[in-house]
Amino acid sequence: MSGRLASSARRLSALDPRLLDVALAVALGVGTSLWEVLELGKGRPADAQSLALTALVNAPLALRRRAPFTVLVVSTSAALLYHLLGHHPGLNSIGPLLALYSVAAHGSWQAGAGGAVLVVAEWTHASVNQPGVALWSALGQSLIVGGWAFTTGTIVRLLSARGKQLVALAEQLAAERDAAARRAVTRERVRIARELHDVVAHHMSVISVQSGLGRYVALSDPATAHATLGVIADTSHEALTEMRRLLSILRVEAHEQDEGRYSTMSRLSDLETLVERMRAAGLNVRLTVEGPARTLPPGLDLCAYRIVQESLTNVLKHAGADRADINLTYAPDKLTLRVTDDGAGPAPGPGRGGHGLIGMTERVRLYQGTITAGGRPQGGYEVLAAFPLSPSEEDERI
């Protein structure tokens, strides 16, 4: 039963409020007219005049949201004229009351206060016309009813205004959160771009040295010159690849001050040093390497190192873990990094959408890789990253 009522309420709330107002006006007008026709012997009998005034009292309620004060004036004036002409004293009083509520709910409090005076006057006059009702009783009843309609409408108006303020505040907070996330992404991309810039600069230095050597031995030692050209070709290819990545990441506008220099030549071969530093900080770290290690492009090597470094830093700072495991797997077509810990819960940095995960995601995306981070069923936290690799020269010969 309660389920059907809830379903009906949801369907009603989905309707256009203006349709509900029209239905309310029609229901009140038709209901009051039928009551007036059937209630014989109380006041003047129903006629065309009384029915017309009844329609004038209730029909304007269909516009109570768009012109609430005008509806109040028309409805109350028609009701007052209806009762002055001696028609049924107990009818046509609900319309002005609903109009007063509408003014208080959708208009200003000044208009509501003025409308309350009109409704109280009309209700008092209609009540006095009923047999056995004293003026003080009619006035007290009118003040209570009119005050109730005015107060209820005012509360609804204040709650509606507060709701709009909360919606606006929520939208503002969402916009600020999105802006903060975009700024974090931009900062990480600028940081990565700085590192890639130095990688490219390193490649260019190698090309410069090798080209100088090649020119020096071009005539005296053709074999060395040929090998030098091979080094230049390979290095320039890597430099162009890193330059494309650098240009793609710098498409994001970021005009931020330099936050300091970053070490750019770190690579996976330096993980033992990183592990020793973490052990000295009190974290028991185990490093496992599976598969034959291979030479990686410098940018990718640096990217993989940074992911391990960021993961261990978050474990040390946030996870409350005693142990962390690093698993590095080399496959012919893929490099996989897995960092796990035995902490009590997710690290706030990467696990909850912090800047740590943003930086990791941007790095991995730059090399067409994938990354996931989250809690493990058996407890602790896991960061898993995978990078596609092109076949090495040894693989191609095989």
Side-chain angles (χ1 to χ4, degrees), residues 139-164:
L139 180 60
Q141 174 185 339
S142 302
L143 288 173
I144 292 174
V145 174
W148 171 81
F150 175 76
T151 302
T152 303
T154 301
I155 292 174
V156 170
R157 176 170 53 83
L158 294 177
L159 289 177
S160 177
R162 182 63 179 273
K164 292 178 181 178

Side-chain angles (χ1 to χ4, degrees), residues 16-301:
D16 189 337
R18 292 173 295 184
L19 294 178
L20 296 178
D21 292 341
V22 171
L24 176 64
V26 172
L28 278 177
V30 173
T32 303
S33 299
L34 290 176
W35 191 290
E36 185 179 5
V37 170
L38 296 176
E39 284 285 328
L40 302 176
K42 293 185 179 180
R44 291 177 52 183
D47 52 20
Q49 182 188 68
S50 65
L51 294 177
L53 289 174
T54 296
L56 192 59
V57 169
N58 297 287
L61 293 175
L63 304 175
R64 67 184 187 90
R65 298 175 194 268
R66 284 178 278 184
F69 190 76
T70 302
V71 169
L72 173 65
V73 171
V74 173
S75 179
T76 305
S77 300
L80 181 60
L81 181 60
Y82 177 89
H83 294 132
L84 285 174
L85 293 175
H87 295 292
H88 199 301
L91 297 179
N92 284 324
S93 296
I94 301 300
L97 196 65
L98 288 175
L100 174 59
Y101 163 82
S102 302
V103 170
H106 303 289
S108 63
W109 69 268
Q110 295 93 336
V117 173
L118 296 177
V119 173
V120 167
E122 198 284 322
W123 265 69
T124 301
H125 174 266
S127 299
V128 167
N129 288 339
Q130 297 188 31
V133 177
L135 176 61
W136 64 270
S137 177
L139 180 60
Q141 174 185 339
S142 302
L143 288 173
I144 292 174
V145 174
W148 171 81
F150 175 76
T151 302
T152 303
T154 301
I155 292 174
V156 170
R157 176 170 53 83
L158 294 177
L159 289 177
S160 177
R162 182 63 179 273
K164 292 178 181 178
Q165 292 175 354
L166 292 177
V167 169
L169 179 60
E171 293 176 350
Q172 180 181 355
L173 291 176
E176 292 177 355
R177 184 177 63 249
D178 293 341
R182 287 193 296 271
R183 287 194 297 269
V185 169
T186 301
R187 283 195 297 269
E188 290 298 331
R189 290 188 173 187
V190 170
R191 173 177 174 172
I192 298 170
R194 290 186 183 122
E195 296 175 344
L196 291 180
H197 172 270
D198 288 344
V199 170
V200 174
H202 170 74
H203 286 321
M204 299 307 296
S205 298
V206 171
I207 292 173
S208 177
V209 171
Q210 292 294 321
S211 61
L213 176 61
R215 183 174 61 179
Y216 180 77
V217 300
L219 298 178
S220 61
D221 191 350
T224 302
H226 183 270
T228 300
L229 291 176
V231 173
I232 292 175
D234 294 339
T235 306
S236 61
H237 175 73
E238 292 182 358
L240 286 174
T241 301
E242 299 300 335
M243 182 63 76
R244 291 190 189 99
R245 294 193 176 101
L246 176 61
L247 293 177
S248 68
I249 203 170
L250 286 180
R251 286 181 297 182
V252 178
E253 294 183 1
H255 306 288
E256 299 181 358
Q257 296 180 353
D258 189 2
E259 299 177 359
R261 295 184 61 84
Y262 299 89
S263 173
T264 61
M265 298 311 294
S266 300
R267 56 191 63 204
L268 290 178
S269 58
D270 299 325
L271 283 182
E272 286 290 353
T273 304
L274 176 63
V275 167
E276 290 300 326
R277 287 203 304 266
M278 290 297 170
R279 288 172 180 167
L283 181 64
N284 183 15
V285 183
R286 183 179 65 177
L287 174 61
T288 303
V289 179
E290 299 178 3
R294 53 180 290 187
T295 302
L296 302 175
L300 175 57
D301 211 351

Side-chain angles (χ1 to χ4, degrees), residues 185 189 360-371 387:
V185 169
R189 290 188 173 187
M360 294 182 196
T361 303
E362 290 301 316
R363 293 179 187 276
V364 172
R365 185 180 300 168
L366 193 60
Y367 291 92
Q368 290 78 47
T370 60
I371 184 170
F387 299 90

